[in-house]
Amino acid sequence: MKLRKVSAAAAAALVLSITATACGGGDGDNEGGSGSGGGDKIKIGIKYDQPGLGLKEPGGFSGFDVDVATYVAKELGYNADQIEFVETKSADRENALSRGDVKIIAATYSITDERKQKVDFAGPYLLAHQDLLIKADSDISDGTDLNGKKLCSVAGSTSAQNVHDTIAPKAQLKQYSGYSECIAALQSGAVDAVTTDDSILAGFAAQEQYKGKFKLAGLKLSNENYGIGVKKGDTETVNKVNAALEKMVKDKAWDKAVQDNFGPANYKNEPAPKIGVIVPPKQ
Ligand code: GLU
């Protein structure tokens, strides 16, 4: 996985470029970034604790979402050193966009009708499926009744919602603010399974410290269409991000990001989705 960081030299260059383009204008810091033509910097919401998707490490940020966000930002007129990544936890995403804390969000953010009431989405740029992560010796498998089982997921996620609504309404559902906390609960035996997107679970399972300890159950419990979240009504940004995503697939940068980030986890991703085509939550 590649790391992205802002070097001192790049930061210095940024200061110079801001000075040089000070008259260019932007729409202010409270909008998560300047307007269409680049300029100072752009704030992008990502996850900080999801290996292979959005991960904050001592040397910078890595993951598929980080690579997609970086590509999109470039198309919007911002170099990698003009990006400020901000943590947007599952339950905070709609508010972060409404408040203008970030310009866009690339954080395993599924497009849903409910969320579309509050935010707009570009994409989709990845199709994932809800699954279970269980201990390597667990006997949970396809057909196991999950009602009564201790499951862990994250507040504000479609994964937790789906457990409540359809998957196992009578499960004992523990909800944390991030998936890394659920992984710790699985390791300690406090829960029987962690449930969320297979893309996320595969990333955790491949971590050196968990190798051989956990496995994915391999259940496709839902369709999760990842979109780039944008402030409600900002059609201009939606259109630009869609064009960027289309270009990313066409010039194979999307394939490279998949290879770089899902390769190590051996995650078998779905092919690149078509922009604007949403696979219904359950087929
Ligand atoms: N993709 C799902 C969602 O947007 C689960 C992953 C997450 O919590 O980010 O809710």
Side-chain angles (χ1 to χ4, degrees):
M1 277 181 276
K2 274 183 295 152
L3 297 179
R4 312 228 170 246
K5 61 180 172 184
V6 181
S7 68
L14 176 60
V15 170
L16 287 175
S17 82
I18 290 170
T19 317
T21 59
C23 309
D27 53 7
D29 253 350
N30 58 346
E31 283 301 311
S34 66
S36 47
D40 46 330
K41 56 184 177 176
I42 183 168
K43 289 185 183 162
I44 302 182
I46 57 163
K47 294 294 184 72
Y48 274 15
D49 71 340
Q50 295 178 192
L53 282 151
L55 188 67
K56 184 175 196 266
E57 295 173 282
F61 300 92
S62 68
F64 184 69
D65 281 341
V66 170
D67 287 353
V68 170
T70 304
Y71 188 100
V72 166
K74 177 100 187 151
E75 292 301 306
L76 295 180
Y78 301 89
N79 290 321
D81 57 14
Q82 291 173 290
I83 300 171
E84 186 183 327
F85 287 115
V86 175
E87 184 176 32
T88 44
K89 290 178 177 265
S90 296
D92 300 335
R93 292 174 292 198
E94 288 82 28
N95 284 338
L97 285 170
S98 308
R99 281 195 304 257
D101 294 352
V102 291
K103 182 84 171 170
I104 57 173
I105 289 183
T108 59
Y109 199 8
S110 299
I111 302 171
T112 69
D113 288 340
E114 202 182 327
R115 290 173 180 165
K116 278 202 276 186
Q117 309 290 312
K118 297 180 181 163
V119 299
D120 286 341
F121 286 100
Y125 64 92
L126 189 75
L127 175 64
H129 306 282
Q130 187 167 351
D131 199 356
L132 300 179
L133 189 71
I134 49 185
K135 286 216 165 136
D137 61 359
S138 169
D139 54 9
I140 292 177
S141 63
D142 203 359
T144 303
D145 185 1
L146 298 171
N147 285 297
K149 295 277 184 210
K150 290 182 196 143
L151 304 183
C152 191
S153 199
V154 162
S157 68
T158 53
S159 324
Q161 189 77 43
N162 292 340
V163 170
H164 265 307
D165 294 352
T166 52
I167 296 169
K170 297 208 175 87
Q172 296 177 51
L173 181 63
K174 181 110 196 119
Q175 294 187 58
Y176 286 114
S177 67
Y179 294 102
S180 48
E181 292 157 274
C182 280
I183 300 296
L186 179 64
Q187 196 175 23
S188 76
V191 298
D192 301 312
V194 179
T195 185
T196 186
D197 306 339
D198 47 10
S199 48
I200 299 171
L201 298 174
F204 279 112
Q207 292 278 282
E208 204 49 49
Q209 68 267 40
Y210 302 129
K211 277 210 175 122
K213 291 191 178 151
F214 301 145
K215 63 181 178 191
L216 272 79
L219 319 174
K220 292 190 170 169
L221 298 167
S222 72
N223 294 315
E224 305 293 327
N225 301 267
Y226 288 2
I228 304 280
V230 173
K231 190 178 196 158
K232 184 111 193 111
D234 188 356
T235 315
E236 193 190 337
T237 301
V238 170
N239 292 340
K240 282 185 184 164
V241 174
N242 276 337
L245 293 173
E246 252 161 18
K247 190 173 168 200
M248 188 177 184
V249 172
K250 218 169 155 200
D251 70 14
K252 307 264 185 255
W254 188 91
D255 293 301
K256 185 176 184 316
V258 159
Q259 267 300 317
D260 290 350
N261 298 293
F262 297 145
N266 205 19
Y267 173 61
K268 299 274 172 280
N269 62 287
E270 300 274 4
K274 286 222 162 16
I275 298 301
V277 179
I278 308 291
V279 183
K282 264 201 143 181
Q283 283 190 315

